[in-house]
Amino acid sequence: MSLDLAIRPARNLLGALRLPGDKSISHRYAILSALAEGESRLENFATGADCASTLACLRALGCEVKQEAEGTLTIRGRGPQLSPPQGPLECGNSGSTMRMLAGILAAQPFSSDLVGDASLSRRPMARVIEPLTRMGAAIAASGGARPPLRISGARLRGIDYALPVPSAQVKTAVLFAGLMAQGETSVSEPVPTRDHGELALEAFGARLTCAPGRISIRGGQALRPVAFRIPGDISTAAFFLCAAALFPESNLVLDDVLLNPTRSALLDVLSSLGARFSMLNVEDRMGELAGTIRLEPRPLGGARISGAPTVALIDELPVLAAIAPYTGQGIEIRDAAELRVKESDRIAAVARNLRALGAEVEEFTDGLRVPGRQPLKGGEVDSFGDHRIAMAFAVAALRAQDKVVIRNADAAQVSFPEFFETLEQLVER
Ligand code: S3P
């Protein structure tokens, strides 16, 4: 199915919102629930297709996953030993599913095949193949270390691994493998990435040793089940925050949203651009912070994002670039070559779409520079099959001079199927 959607200009965004659970946390809690001994209960589980892929794979590996009330799942774990799947494990569009499952499949006494859609089949997998092979698994991939993957599990041994590219998916995959390996596994990261893998392992009762930039786990620890309410997805919240920030009259409140400091850098950027926030009811839920955010829009200035902030903002960069024409001084993004190997080449996709709406953009191998004070015209853009590109341009469209048609807008299904209706409910015209 492919859906083209027209977004008309808006006057502002008004309202309060509670979002489905964070995608990164949902994947990790589902996988660790599968490895725990007993039944876990996960409230506010992510609604997108990516996390549904993880659940389908866990079912195929012998776990009982039940949908209770809306948004609530119970998962009966099997302990560290899963059952061999009857066929290939379908990861759909989800890099997180493939990379994190690779970590646990590497330790199983059977072989499994991990397959993905056309976009996932182009994404680099050497980053998980390399450490997991060093731990003792045998992994065959297609040319250039792309999916599909055939993983022949083994008795793993712990390794001391320095991540060559900052990637929380790879860090998590190696720690999950380390949980089932003999001896100790350590992962060092050059730049901090989201820490949900570490926090989730601790929530399920595993002991980790964390020093700055280095995490270690001893293999053979049993996991206990949890009951957890997953905070709303901050990367989805980003689209609504950026949309509201475009209009001085907006008033947006987001309840129970993830505020983990490794994920909330968008709030810092919006603050440095000029927006103001208040935060209420902040609580610590098994190490994950959650709370209410109220945004007070102000005219937006400019920003240059590079180095560690680029890593922290990796999923929010497309929407920041998409709203950059409406800022005073524009936005420059550097050190972001990873954007080229996401669900689409996000640097090329953003540049093409902005140009299609009449903006000037300078494209670099590792980022882009979008000057400010460029009113966008109406026109046609494409999601390039990428959920974050579809949502980023729906946001940019709200302040365009005329309607913007988003081709293949249904890509948003991957992380937030309810995105367009939710946006329409908040928008005033
Ligand atoms: C994720 C990590 C990031 C991010 C992705 C989710 C995670 O990917 O872009 O959307 O949940 O660990 P990388 O690990 O490839 O940087």
Side-chain angles (χ1 to χ4, degrees):
M1 185 185 72
S2 116
L3 172 79
D4 299 341
L5 211 67
I7 308 278
R8 286 177 298 118
R11 273 194 300 129
N12 58 42
L13 254 83
L14 282 187
L17 199 58
R18 237 170 208 258
L19 292 166
D22 186 72
K23 182 159 92 72
S24 291
I25 298 181
S26 295
H27 284 299
R28 288 164 171 84
Y29 268 71
I31 294 171
L32 293 182
S33 297
L35 300 176
E37 280 155 25
E39 188 175 275
S40 291
R41 182 182 166 82
L42 307 179
E43 278 177 54
N44 202 35
F45 193 81
T47 51
D50 269 10
C51 290
S53 294
T54 292
L55 295 178
C57 291
L58 295 176
R59 284 195 180 102
L61 291 163
C63 298
E64 196 180 291
V65 180
K66 278 204 217 142
Q67 182 87 42
E68 304 267 303
E70 207 182 315
T72 301
L73 295 180
T74 57
I75 301 181
R76 178 155 293 283
R78 299 184 50 98
Q81 167 101 52
L82 302 171
S83 41
Q86 296 304 304
L89 296 165
E90 303 277 352
C91 303
N93 190 246
S94 176
S96 298
T97 304
M98 187 170 283
R99 294 184 179 132
M100 293 187 215
L101 282 183
I104 63 168
L105 294 170
Q108 300 299 317
F110 52 78
S111 293
S112 32
D113 295 301
L114 290 167
V115 300
D117 70 4
S119 148
L120 181 52
S121 301
R122 288 191 291 269
R123 296 184 65 189
M125 291 296 147
R127 53 187 67 193
V128 281
I129 296 175
E130 214 254 319
L132 297 175
T133 305
R134 275 179 52 193
M135 295 178 86
I139 306 184
S142 228
R146 314 275 149 178
L149 303 182
R150 161 149 274 235
I151 303 186
S152 306
R155 272 172 75 83
L156 301 182
R157 48 188 179 270
I159 56 168
D160 194 334
Y161 192 64
L163 291 178
V165 227
S167 164
Q169 292 175 355
V170 177
K171 173 176 64 172
T172 302
V174 176
L175 292 174
F176 284 2
L179 175 73
M180 289 177 287
Q182 287 176 305
E184 190 166 78
T185 296
S186 299
V187 184
S188 315
E189 44 183 3
V191 180
T193 63
R194 60 192 75 190
D195 60 0
H196 308 301
E198 299 89 300
L199 293 174
L201 280 161
E202 287 178 338
F204 282 81
R207 301 241 309 260
L208 272 65
T209 317
C210 300
R214 184 179 164 88
I215 307 106
S216 305
I217 186 165
R218 182 152 286 287
Q221 303 184 59
L223 300 184
R224 53 165 191 255
V226 300
F228 187 65
R229 178 177 165 83
I230 301 170
D233 194 321
I234 177 83
S235 296
T236 301
F239 297 104
F240 298 100
L241 290 167
C242 287
L246 294 179
F247 305 99
E249 304 292 303
S250 295
N251 190 346
L252 180 67
V253 176
L254 296 168
D255 282 323
D256 192 25
V257 68
L258 181 70
L259 294 174
N260 176 320
T262 64
R263 289 289 300 289
S264 54
L266 177 81
L267 304 183
D268 303 329
V269 176
L270 287 177
S271 294
S272 76
L273 285 169
R276 292 285 162 268
F277 293 96
S278 44
M279 270 179 223
L280 301 163
N281 312 324
V282 179
E283 64 174 43
D284 179 326
R285 225 174 274 162
M286 302 220 205
E288 296 287 3
L289 297 184
T292 298
I293 305 175
R294 176 190 289 274
L295 171 75
E296 296 159 31
R298 298 271 198 286
L300 300 173
R304 185 177 191 279
I305 302 165
S306 64
T310 293
V311 174
L313 282 162
I314 197 75
D315 292 338
E316 287 69 67
L317 295 174
V319 67
L320 281 169
I323 63 163
Y326 304 121
T327 61
Q329 287 89 49
I331 296 182
E332 179 168 342
I333 295 167
R334 300 309 291 258
D335 303 322
E338 273 292 300
L339 285 182
R340 295 206 182 267
V341 290
K342 294 290 180 189
E343 287 83 330
S344 68
D345 175 342
R346 287 182 173 162
I347 295 175
V350 166
R352 265 179 79 168
N353 282 347
L354 284 174
R355 286 179 187 134
L357 300 177
E360 231 180 75
V361 183
E362 197 177 345
E363 190 177 328
F364 312 108
T365 45
D366 71 338
L368 24 76
R369 195 173 69 79
V370 185
R373 296 185 201 288
Q374 306 192 74
L376 295 182
K377 307 181 294 187
E380 238 179 64
V381 296
D382 202 313
S383 73
F384 300 98
D386 184 330
H387 57 130
R388 298 209 195 276
I389 300 296
M391 295 188 278
F393 281 87
V395 171
L398 296 174
R399 246 190 82 175
Q401 290 166 332
D402 207 343
K403 95 176 171 200
V404 174
V405 173
I406 302 177
R407 295 223 169 280
N408 304 306
D410 48 314
Q413 299 276 349
V414 155
S415 54
F416 188 32
E418 308 82 4
F419 173 74
F420 291 102
E421 16 172 313
T422 309
L423 189 64
E424 281 308 308
Q425 281 160 13
L426 295 171
V427 157
E428 290 210 328
R429 293 210 159 81

